[in-house]
Amino acid sequence: MRYSALSILSQALSGNTGWKPVWREPDPKEHYDVIVVGGGGHGLSTAYYLAKEFGVTKVAVVEKGWLGSGNIGRNTTIIRSNYLLPGNEPFYELSMKLWEGLEQDFNYNAMVSQRGIVNLFHSDSQRDAYARRGNAMVMAGADAELLDEDGVRRLCPFLDFDNARFPIRGGLVQKRGGTARHDAVAWGYARGADSRGVDIIQNCEVTGFDIKNGVCKGVVTSKGRIKADKVAVCVAGSSSRVMAAAGMRLPIESHVLQAFVSEGLKPVLPGVITFGAGHFYISQSDKGGLVFGGDIDGYNTYAQRGNLPVVEDVCEGGMAVMPMIGRARLLRMWGGVMDMSMDGSPFIDKTDINGLYFNGGWCYGGFKATPASGYCYAHLIARGEPHPVATEFRLDRFRRGHIIDEKGAGAQPNLH
Amino acid sequence: MIIDHPLLGPRDAAEFVILGDASLINRPDPEAADAEERFYEYVYLRDNPAGLHRELWYHEQGDRSWLVVTRNTLTHEIAKVELARGIAVNLASASKKKAGRKGGSA
Ligand SMILES: Cc1cc2nc3c(=O)[nH]c(=O)nc-3n(C[C@H](O)[C@H](O)[C@H](O)COP(=O)(O)OP(=O)(O)OC[C@H]3O[C@@H](n4cnc5c(N)ncnc54)[C@H](O)[C@@H]3O)c2cc1C
């Protein structure tokens, strides 16, 4: 069923009794052209673009839990393309362009809201770094604007401009950045894939691979073996565990990132604000809650919860930049496990095992990548070669010395 | 998390910084024939287990010792805390003995 003003009106008149489930619940078939492991945002968008753009429709998405149970349903929903390095920026800008047309493309309301993002700076050197980043963005076809202190004051008068330690001197703005409704992104892609014949198989964990003589011929799951010509893994925080079943060691550590939501307030924040001196970012949801977060906890973990020192650290960051946050009550908080890669950048690549593909290492920035990640992964799987904007996301880049170290933090995943 | 320091007793984990996998103590021999491959693996690849994990913690806001903490990455439970120095010294003497048996010298 396509959603339209007319379909909503006719449902309203018939008491909303005619809505159908948005995707089927099929049993696994014996064989698929492509099995996508992991029904998060990236897995679902990969299946969607495989079917829609590349004509591969004998596809299954195999998910160990329920759709949206992973990081796609846990993140703070910020979308932006304000990267610096040539290996990254064109990729994230493609993602931004896909976000801009997403809802029309998959006929689903993902609440994509380009309310703008401002990265604050607090010193001359930081201003220079942001000016450079802004220029790199513009050169890659994105939008960027450098504001001075008065410009930021007009936008967000409530910030602590005269903070003795970190006075605000200005900010880099990307007006096309913003937020999207994370769950709806998963649901929209799932519906779009399902309606093109993709089987979405939930509650089905992949426990191993069918690998013979260096060729992957399918997966072993909690619902039995399923054969496939190609197997495409994208399991976010579980990458090391899943790829270990294929005998691979990855340049990845699993770390937790926490998120926080306050009670609902009247609209106070114009868009997304990030603190340039500490790690703190904040936006306001359409329901009014302040949604914010900061650093990862910084040590290996698979527990989907964080620890208190980082809660304190995030709240201190919030108080330093935006003291009025101290008046809001915290409603809830949670953690999600992410693949922190050694240079902070992701992977979209073939592996040395024929027919086995890997997508991961998104660290804490993979939500904004959801459309381009799926698109480029589908391109690689269907065509056998990387999409032009994703050529650097190779697994062997560390061996070759071609790391994409956006933050300049070296091989220290807990610093990215 | 509370880390039970072998010399100082229970300390808040916030006093420490973490470096990562304790296998980083085992720095490959730069003279080895396959040193390039081994350094690539040493610097970039990780086992990243779900369960017991041995890792290096530095008591930055304390006595500045390095500890090897054995911690469960699923529960955050700490099973064992050792001084990294003791482990490194043992490793060094073990590898010296091995080299000695082969007739080599340092
Ligand atoms: C608190 C928090 C805040 C964040 N904020 C932002 C943000 O503001 N902006 C941004 O761009 N990014 C953000 N991120 C990062 C972003 O959420 C992730 O990088 C991205 O969602 C990961 O891709 P995914 O959606 O496909 O992952 P997931 O949704 O985690 O999908 C992976 C799926 O694989 C499944 N799986 C795992 N193992 C198996 C198996 N063996 N068999 C079958 N299925 C399996 C999992 O159940 C899961 O559903 C944030 C993350 C967190 C935790």
Side-chain angles (χ1 to χ4, degrees), chain A residues 345-412:
Chain A
S345 294
F347 306 99
I348 301 177
D349 204 359
K350 306 176 193 183
T351 68
D352 291 337
I353 298 159
N354 244 322
L356 183 62
Y357 297 76
F358 176 69
N359 175 315
W362 293 97
C363 300
Y364 43 78
F367 176 64
K368 69 178 84 68
T370 307
S373 168
Y375 198 97
C376 295
Y377 202 26
H379 184 286
L380 175 74
I381 295 160
R383 302 251 170 99
E385 56 188 56
H387 187 279
V389 302
T391 53
E392 310 279 314
F393 298 155
R394 306 289 306 278
L395 273 165
D396 67 354
R397 65 175 181 260
F398 300 98
R399 183 182 263 127
R400 289 181 291 116
H402 287 210
I403 56 175
I404 315 171
D405 193 354
E406 185 86 25
K407 258 183 125 179
Q412 283 280 87

Side-chain angles (χ1 to χ4, degrees), chain A residues 148-377:
Chain A
D148 60 10
E149 186 184 325
D150 282 345
V152 178
R153 266 186 204 273
R154 272 194 294 276
L155 205 60
C156 316
F158 48 82
L159 296 176
D160 187 3
F161 286 85
D162 304 317
N163 184 300
R165 181 79 172 84
F166 304 117
I168 295 167
R169 298 272 186 246
L172 180 67
V173 176
Q174 183 177 30
K175 286 194 176 140
R176 287 161 63 243
T179 57
R181 172 73 202 276
H182 47 4
D183 304 304
V185 173
W187 300 332
Y189 275 123
R191 171 173 168 272
D194 174 89
S195 68
R196 286 171 178 82
V198 172
D199 284 354
I200 296 170
I201 301 159
Q202 300 182 69
N203 300 310
C204 181
E205 181 172 8
V206 169
T207 53
F209 299 92
D210 201 347
I211 299 172
K212 280 196 195 77
N213 304 323
V215 183
C216 182
K217 302 200 154 158
V219 292
V220 185
T221 77
S222 52
K223 293 190 175 176
R225 286 174 184 268
I226 316 176
K227 292 199 200 88
D229 295 338
K230 292 172 181 168
V231 175
V233 175
C234 40
V235 293
S238 304
S239 292
S240 296
R241 274 201 277 185
V242 172
M243 296 311 277
M248 285 177 67
R249 282 178 92 209
L250 299 175
I252 281 175
E253 287 179 2
S254 299
H255 291 251
V256 74
L257 180 67
Q258 305 188 56
F260 308 84
V261 178
S262 79
E263 61 191 328
L265 303 169
K266 288 182 179 174
V268 284
L269 299 186
V272 182
I273 300 166
T274 76
F275 184 25
H279 202 162
F280 177 80
Y281 48 89
I282 187 163
S283 65
Q284 189 167 19
S285 80
D286 291 346
K287 281 194 282 187
L290 301 178
V291 181
F292 57 96
D295 268 325
I296 56 175
D297 278 28
Y299 40 81
N300 295 44
T301 176
Y302 286 94
Q304 286 189 324
R305 62 174 174 81
N307 261 319
L308 283 172
V310 171
V311 178
E312 208 177 332
D313 184 64
V314 171
C315 293
E316 279 169 4
M319 288 302 290
V321 69
M322 195 177 135
M324 74 179 183
I325 200 179
R327 307 282 295 189
R329 270 169 300 195
L330 201 61
L331 211 59
R332 56 203 173 94
M333 54 201 265
W334 64 88
V337 178
M338 300 141 319
D339 300 348
M340 299 304 298
S341 67
M342 286 287 158
D343 58 357
S345 294
F347 306 99
I348 301 177
D349 204 359
K350 306 176 193 183
T351 68
D352 291 337
I353 298 159
N354 244 322
L356 183 62
Y357 297 76
F358 176 69
N359 175 315
W362 293 97
C363 300
Y364 43 78
F367 176 64
K368 69 178 84 68
T370 307
S373 168
Y375 198 97
C376 295
Y377 202 26

Side-chain angles (χ1 to χ4, degrees), chain A residues 55-100:
Chain A
V56 186
T57 51
K58 258 195 94 187
V59 177
V61 176
V62 179
E63 162 58 44
K64 79 170 174 195
W66 70 93
L67 291 192
S69 56
N71 286 338
I72 184 70
R74 286 169 187 264
N75 65 74
T76 42
T77 78
I78 300 167
I79 59 174
R80 56 184 173 88
S81 65
N82 51 2
Y83 281 70
L84 172 72
L85 299 181
N88 275 334
E89 178 57 20
F91 170 84
Y92 288 101
E93 180 51 22
L94 171 67
S95 215
M96 201 65 233
K97 292 214 170 76
L98 289 170
W99 282 117
E100 289 175 320

Side-chain angles (χ1 to χ4, degrees), chain B residues 1 5-6 8-9 21 25 28 33-34 36 38 42 46 50-54 59 74 81 84 88 96 99 102-103 105:
Chain B
M1 282 192 312
H5 192 296
L8 306 175
D21 195 323
I25 295 181
D34 58 349
E36 195 175 326
R38 284 218 242 158
Y42 170 81
R46 298 287 183 270
L52 287 185
H53 187 232
R54 295 178 79 225
H59 199 191
L74 288 161
V81 183
K96 229 183 231 161
K102 275 196 223 135
S105 67

